[in-house]
């Protein structure tokens, strides 16, 4: 099979590409390297089935050619990370909305299955835990830039579902909950790579707010397994499916566990949200997926435990730091 992965040089895209290549499939990787990095995928050159296209989705001609060659399209290209979203809302909205529109339009001409990566962020401030796929989306005001991410992804979902309903383009939508693992960068605010790097450096572990907010962390290998199984079943077509681990941990608890697993003596420092992000920043107190639908459609649910995930992330960051001749800052900037 031939798979087109948009955003293939990103954190999740690179793991997906690797899995597909390992099992003998062909990968057409399209990425403009805005947040993705060659560092993530350079090692995949050794596979004959790997093809790189370092182009933006706006290059419609290349996109059309790749869609034509592919059997299935994984559309993962998006602006991600709360920090990036707060700092660059224009980029977030344009990347997420325009990119998805271009991919769906091109796929529709050739009637290719499109897998759209959405996010748990769309549930917003909903407090009905766990989140079911048909729950209401509860977003904050447009004056708070954080919500532009959820709104842009919700629009992507509406558009994909409309292509399915109106034009019978087969689509599958996955709402990814906090996905973590090696190669995820802390540059855009993601908590686990930041905590691990801080713990390894012996610098303060920065918990935002009270640390009582909670999340569920899904190993990227489990997320990739879920995506592949969803793409392989006709029952998932036209559906929205949560993809995540449902084990909940507070951010304060995560900081403690990271310290413990890395044997770090870093202090934990509490930073108010308006200093960490922007004045008036709104966070979600809890975010837990209901994974019944995923289990029912694929027979699989993510279950890798947090200590194991932290160990893998710490080993990755440890290796980067040991990389001879690369100063610490440079190593972390390209993580
Ligand atoms: N967070 C934190 N310290 C950091 C980065 C993030 O305490 O250095 C918090 C953040 O405020 C949120 C949680 O960790 O409550 C998860 O943040 P992340 O950006 O990883 O994902 P989100 O769930 O917000 O999309």
């Amino acid at each position: 099979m031939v798979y087109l992965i948009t955003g293939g040089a990103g954190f999740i895209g690179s793991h997906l590409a690797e899995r597909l290549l390992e099992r003998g499939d062909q990968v057409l990787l399209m990425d403009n390297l805005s947040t993705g990095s060659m560092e993530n995928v350079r090692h995949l050159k050794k596979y004959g089935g790997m093809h790189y296209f370092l182009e933006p989705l706006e290059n419609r001609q290349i996109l059309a050619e790749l869609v034509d060659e592919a059997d299935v399209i994984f559309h993962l290209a998006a602006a991600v990370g709360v920090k990036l979203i707060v700092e660059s809302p224009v980029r977030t909205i344009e990347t997420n909305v325009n990119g998805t529109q271009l991919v769906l339009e091109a796929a529709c001409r050739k009637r290719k299955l499109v897998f759209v990566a959405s996010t748990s962020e769309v549930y917003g401030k909903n407090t009905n835990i766990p989140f079911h796929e048909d729950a209401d989306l509860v977003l904050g005001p447009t004056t708070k830039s954080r919500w532009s991410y959820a709104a842009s992804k919700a629009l992507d979902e509406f558009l994909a579902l409309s292509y399915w309903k109106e034009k019978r383009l087969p689509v599958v939508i996955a709402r990814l909950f906090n996905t973590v693992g090696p190669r995820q960068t802390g540059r855009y605010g993601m908590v686990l790579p930041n905590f691990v790097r801080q713990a390894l450096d012996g610098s303060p572990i920065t918990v935002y707010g009270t640390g009582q907010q909670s999340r569920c962390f899904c190993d990227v290998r489990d997320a990739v397994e879920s995506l592949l199984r969803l793409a392989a079943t006709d029952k998932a077509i036209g559906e929205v499916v949560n993809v995540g681990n449902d084990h909940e941990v507070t951010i304060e608890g995560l900081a403690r566990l990271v310290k413990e697993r890395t044997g770090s003596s870093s202090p934990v420092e509490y930073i108010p949200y308006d200093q960490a992000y922007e004045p008036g920043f709104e966070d979600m107190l809890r975010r837990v997926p209901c994974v019944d639908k995923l289990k029912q459609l694929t027979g699989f649910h993510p279950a890798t435990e947090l200590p194991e995930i932290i160990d893998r992330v710490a080993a990755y960051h440890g290796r980067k730091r040991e990389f001879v001749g690369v100063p610490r800052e440079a190593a972390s900037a390209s993580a």
Side-chain angles (χ1 to χ4, degrees), residues 61-292:
Q61 198 182 332
I62 300 261
L63 179 62
E65 281 167 22
L66 298 181
V67 164
D68 196 24
E69 274 182 58
D71 297 304
V72 176
I73 300 146
F74 279 105
H75 175 47
L76 305 185
V80 287
V82 177
K83 215 184 178 85
L84 177 69
I85 278 127
V86 169
E87 283 166 9
S88 315
V90 172
R91 178 168 160 199
T92 303
I93 299 167
E94 290 184 350
T95 305
N96 292 354
V97 177
N98 299 347
T100 304
Q101 199 222 320
L102 289 167
V103 169
L104 290 168
E105 203 178 78
C108 196
R109 269 186 238 118
K110 302 285 174 177
R111 310 216 72 74
K112 299 288 172 72
L113 173 67
V114 186
F115 189 100
V116 176
S118 183
T119 166
S120 57
E121 180 90 8
V122 296
Y123 292 106
K125 296 189 277 188
N126 193 319
T127 51
N128 278 327
I129 298 289
F131 295 149
H132 292 259
E133 286 84 351
D134 56 0
D136 287 342
L137 310 186
V138 186
L139 306 189
T142 52
T143 44
K144 298 196 169 164
S145 14
R146 165 179 206 143
W147 301 112
S148 64
Y149 180 43
S152 64
K153 279 297 187 180
L155 189 58
D156 283 355
E157 292 194 17
F158 277 124
L159 193 60
L161 291 171
S162 305
Y163 264 94
W164 165 238
K165 282 184 199 138
E166 204 179 310
K167 301 176 188 281
R168 302 322 275 174
L169 174 72
V171 302
V172 180
I173 297 165
R175 287 188 182 150
L176 291 156
F177 283 65
N178 297 67
T179 308
V180 289
R183 296 185 207 143
Q184 183 177 40
T185 170
R187 235 183 312 165
Y188 307 111
M190 275 79 163
V191 67
L192 187 59
N194 274 338
F195 279 8
V196 167
R197 213 163 27 80
Q198 290 163 340
L200 294 178
D201 286 351
S203 52
I205 297 183
T206 54
V207 170
Y208 300 160
T210 63
Q212 292 311 302
Q213 72 273 32
S214 70
R215 295 293 187 272
C216 297
F217 294 93
C218 178
D219 190 301
V220 66
R221 293 171 304 176
D222 290 342
V224 164
E225 180 67 29
S226 307
L227 305 195
L228 290 175
R229 288 181 184 228
L230 283 171
T233 171
D234 285 348
K235 288 185 291 178
I237 291 173
E239 297 290 338
V240 177
V241 188
N242 288 337
V243 171
N245 187 315
D246 57 3
H247 174 79
E248 191 177 6
V249 64
T250 63
I251 296 304
E252 191 177 57
L254 179 72
R256 256 199 317 270
L257 195 58
V258 167
K259 267 182 68 127
E260 189 187 303
R261 302 301 300 183
T262 55
S264 169
S265 55
S266 288
V268 173
E269 190 180 316
Y270 292 82
I271 299 180
Y273 283 122
D274 53 0
Q275 268 176 43
Y277 297 107
E278 62 178 355
F281 180 82
E282 292 181 317
D283 200 8
M284 288 78 150
L285 199 54
R286 293 179 71 196
R287 187 191 271 167
V288 183
C290 167
V291 287
D292 292 351

